[in-house]
């Protein structure tokens, strides 16, 4: 037995030595066993002659061959022992690999069990989701049916409402006709002022928030020529029931002027961009400016400070208007192709309308429920302020709409375009009531603002050659041309008191006309 603690190489060497010793011992034993035979035979061999000698040589040769065979066997034994060692090492490696594979198999089985458990949970969750989805679909079908019913009911109510509005419009037209007839009669007797005070519902006196009604006159001469702003003046308007003129310019300031004297009353600061449009609440407490800085700015007229900065547009804001019903709601349009409705009390946006064609100009309807917008594609569009839904549209111009002005009674809207045409549309049917044009009249920009006179009898618009044109709506013809500006006229505004008319140009010059 091999000694305990010996290495594999030592065990193999000992085995080889032992085998060689055994072979030598066997050889010696065979020599000893054959020695007497050789001795006994040597005598006869000598006597018998060469035959026996040959036999002895043959036997000796066989013995040598046996030795050679023994040597080969020893070498083969060494090779087999080495192969045995390598096979044993390979066997150990295979056993280690099998052990690792068994461990991995165990881990894989555990993971498989976990995945199977997760899969079962997922199937349960999927069943739950499918059941919830089925319930939600059922609820959606119910809601869809209710929505369709509500839409049909809403359509019916809108039709009824439109019918009532048409009836109201007819009654208002009858009242206006009656008023005009009474005015003509009273003019003959010198009682025009009395007529204006007594015709209820058509002429309003000076209650809080009401507007004066004054007959408009066609101006003929420049009363004041004011250098109002550096770099140009893009927007002007008059305060309600007042002779104060408000201007906004490229120099980022808002200025108020006494239109009677042409003197500067106040300058408002805080706008971070050029002023592109202006609006004022009907109580004359808040001035709102649309700016190229992508924001709107709201000034408190009493304090002269910025009360709100309305942020949300992504490009320059080019138009703004305040609701005629409530001073709370403001609507604005910007070059980011959006129209936004703002709550002035809260100071943030309450509705956004996105449209592919950006809006250049807009205004509220008389009831404050509809937004009228003029777009770069030449269309006039009407929007529901609550839902943001497009109510109707009409192709107003062959190129961009630059200006929108609502008539005093809200039944008509004036649109001006880059095609140098001024159209008056019926708000109810969106049909053209009148078209005004002049040979030399050319719009100077995408924000060239025209205006209606307070009595809705005249239209004033500036031209790129510095001329202000005045049309009579009833005659559909020019009744006046005013020439004082040396640069393109950007905007016009008519005082609610009937006079004066104001205009502003690209050089920042503001003219008042009487």
């Amino acid at each position: 037995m091999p000694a305990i603690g010996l290495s594999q190489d030592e065990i193999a060497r000992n085995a080889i030595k032992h085998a060689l010793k055994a072979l030598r011992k066997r050889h010696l034993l065979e020599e000893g066993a054959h020695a007497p035979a050789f001795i006994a035979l040597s005598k006869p061999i000598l006597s018998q002659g060469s035959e026996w000698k040959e036999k002895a040589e043959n036997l000796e040769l066989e013995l040598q061959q046996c030795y050679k065979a023994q040597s080969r066997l020893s070498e083969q034994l060494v090779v087999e022992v080495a192969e045995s060692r390598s096979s044993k090492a390979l066997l150990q490696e295979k056993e280690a690999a099998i052990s690792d594979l068994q461990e991995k198999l165990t881990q894989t089985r555990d993971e498989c069990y976990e995945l199977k458990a997760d899969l079962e949970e997922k199937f349960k969750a999927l069943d739950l989701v499918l059941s919830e989805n089925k319930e939600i679909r059922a609820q959606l079908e119910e809601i869809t049916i209710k929505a369709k019913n509500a839409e049909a009911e809403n359509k019916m109510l809108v039709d009824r409402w439109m019918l009532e509005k048409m009836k109201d419009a007819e009654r208002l037209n009858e009242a206006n006709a009656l008023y005009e007839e009474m005015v003509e009669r009273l003019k003959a007797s010198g009682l025009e002022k009395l007529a204006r005070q007594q015709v209820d519902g058509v002429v309003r006196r000076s209650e809080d928030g009401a507007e004066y009604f004054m007959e408009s006159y066609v101006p003929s001469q420049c009363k004041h020529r004011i250098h109002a702003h550096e770099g140009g003046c893009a927007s002007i308007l008059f305060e309600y029931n007042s002779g104060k003129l408000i201007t906004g310019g490229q120099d980022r300031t808002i200025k108020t002027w006494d239109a009677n004297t042409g003197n500067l009353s106040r300058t408002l600061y805080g706008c971070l961009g050029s002023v592109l449009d202006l609006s004022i609440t009907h109580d004359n407490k808040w001035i709102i400016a649309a700016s190229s800085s992508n924001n709107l700015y709201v000034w408190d007229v009493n304090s002269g400070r910025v009360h709100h900065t309305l942020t949300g547009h992504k490009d320059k804001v080019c138009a703004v208007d305040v609701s005629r019903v409530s001073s709370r709601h403001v609507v604005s349009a910007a070059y980011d192709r959006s129209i936004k409705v703002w709550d002035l009390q809260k100071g943030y946006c309450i509705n956004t309308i996105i449209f592919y064609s950006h809006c250049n100009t807009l205004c509220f309807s008389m009831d404050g429920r509809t937004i009228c917008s003029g777009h770069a594609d030449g269309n006039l569009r009407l929007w529901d302020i609550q839902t943001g839904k497009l109510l109707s549209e009409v192709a107003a111009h062959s190129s961009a709409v630059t200006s929108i002005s609502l008539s005093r009674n809200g039944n008509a809207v004036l649109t001006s375009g880059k095609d140098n045409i001024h159209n008056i549309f019926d708000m109810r049917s969106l049909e053209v009531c009148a078209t005004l044009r002049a040979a030399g009249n050319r719009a100077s920009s995408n924000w060239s603002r025209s205006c209606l006179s307070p009595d809705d009898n005249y239209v004033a618009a500036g031209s790129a050659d510095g001329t202000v044109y005045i049309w009579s709506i009833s005659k559909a013809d020019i009744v006046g041309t005013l020439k004082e500006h040396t640069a393109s006229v950007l905007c016009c505004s008519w005082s609610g008191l009937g006079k004066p008319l104001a205009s502003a140009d690209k050089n920042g010059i503001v003219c008042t006309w009487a």
Side-chain angles (χ1 to χ4, degrees), residues 185-203:
R185 291 178 180 176
L186 293 172
K187 274 183 179 180
S189 60
L191 298 177
E192 182 180 354
K193 183 177 179 180
L194 180 62
R196 289 178 184 150
Q197 294 176 350
Q198 289 180 348
V199 181
D200 186 27
V202 179
V203 180

Side-chain angles (χ1 to χ4, degrees), residues 383-414:
W383 308 86
D384 186 294
I385 188 175
Q386 295 294 334
T387 64
K389 182 179 179 181
L390 179 62
L391 301 176
S392 57
E393 64 178 311
V394 64
H397 296 273
S398 60
S399 57
V401 180
T402 65
S403 176
I404 287 181
S405 299
L406 194 68
S407 65
R408 183 182 183 84
N409 57 18
N411 291 334
V413 61
L414 166 68

Side-chain angles (χ1 to χ4, degrees), residues 373-386:
S373 61
H375 294 257
D377 61 1
N379 283 14
L380 168 66
R381 294 180 172 90
L382 305 183
W383 308 86
D384 186 294
I385 188 175
Q386 295 294 334

Side-chain angles (χ1 to χ4, degrees), residues 269-437:
Y269 300 95
C271 183
L272 300 181
S274 301
V275 178
L276 301 182
D277 199 15
L278 289 171
S279 188
I280 188 170
T281 58
H282 281 248
D283 53 9
N284 294 328
K285 292 182 179 179
W286 308 97
I287 296 174
I288 303 98
S291 170
S292 62
S293 65
N294 307 347
N295 300 326
L296 292 104
Y297 300 89
V298 182
W299 281 269
D300 184 334
V301 174
N302 293 328
S303 66
R305 296 180 180 179
V306 175
H307 184 72
H308 286 306
T309 299
L310 305 178
T311 61
H313 283 295
K314 304 300 182 184
D315 205 341
K316 58 186 176 184
V317 187
C318 56
V320 63
D321 193 29
V322 181
S323 172
R324 288 160 174 76
V325 176
S326 168
S327 296
R328 179 172 182 172
H329 292 140
V330 173
V331 63
S332 63
Y335 264 42
D336 58 5
R337 305 179 191 278
S338 71
I339 297 173
K340 290 183 179 290
V341 182
W342 309 84
D343 188 321
L344 270 191
Q345 290 185 2
K346 297 179 180 178
Y348 59 75
C349 178
I350 58 176
N351 198 3
T352 299
I353 300 169
I354 305 294
F355 200 69
Y356 69 87
S357 177
H358 66 256
C359 174
N360 288 332
T361 178
L362 48 70
C363 68
F364 272 102
S365 63
M366 288 299 293
D367 59 7
R369 298 177 181 177
T370 306
I371 301 169
C372 307
S373 61
H375 294 257
D377 61 1
N379 283 14
L380 168 66
R381 294 180 172 90
L382 305 183
W383 308 86
D384 186 294
I385 188 175
Q386 295 294 334
T387 64
K389 182 179 179 181
L390 179 62
L391 301 176
S392 57
E393 64 178 311
V394 64
H397 296 273
S398 60
S399 57
V401 180
T402 65
S403 176
I404 287 181
S405 299
L406 194 68
S407 65
R408 183 182 183 84
N409 57 18
N411 291 334
V413 61
L414 166 68
T415 67
S416 301
K418 285 286 285 183
D419 57 3
N420 306 318
I421 293 176
H422 309 275
N423 289 324
I424 297 177
F425 289 88
D426 188 308
M427 276 290 289
R428 294 160 295 185
S429 63
L430 290 185
E431 293 181 354
V432 178
C433 301
T435 297
L436 310 173
R437 55 168 58 89

